Amino acid sequence: MPNLSIAAVPSPARPAAAGAPGLSFTIGQDVSGCWVALESRGIAGGLFRNRDDAIHYAGVEIRNGAGEIRFATGPVAFRIGR
C-alpha cells in the first residue's frame, strides 16, 4: 500500500447552514487492502472496491454542504455500530 499523505479537499458545493458542521471523510485502506470512506463522527461510511469509488461516495455525501475529504497515511478500521 502506498503511503498516502493527509490532504483536505474542500467541497465545491454551497456552504452548510450557519453553525452546522460540514461532513468530514477519511479515505484509506483497511489492513486487508479494502478501500474505506468514514465520516469523522461515524454517521456515514462504507467499504469500496477501489480508491475512486470511495472518493466518489464521499463527494456525493458532502455535495450539499461544506465538507472535506482527507486521505489516511495508515490503515483505516471500518466498524459497524458503536
Side-chain angles (χ1 to χ4, degrees):
M1 178 174 93
N3 239 355
L4 300 173
S5 62
I6 295 177
V9 179
S11 170
R14 68 180 190 265
L23 297 178
S24 175
F25 282 86
T26 298
I27 294 176
Q29 288 181 291
D30 64 11
V31 293
S32 63
C34 293
W35 284 92
V36 177
L38 292 174
E39 200 282 325
S40 64
R41 293 172 303 224
I43 60 175
L47 295 171
F48 301 89
R49 294 177 299 174
N50 56 53
R51 183 177 186 261
D52 289 342
D53 288 347
I55 293 169
H56 175 78
Y57 167 78
V60 167
E61 289 295 310
I62 64 174
R63 75 168 177 237
N64 290 327
E68 63 185 12
I69 298 172
R70 297 175 183 255
F71 296 95
T73 58
V76 176
F78 180 76
R79 295 187 186 116
I80 297 175
R82 294 197 178 241

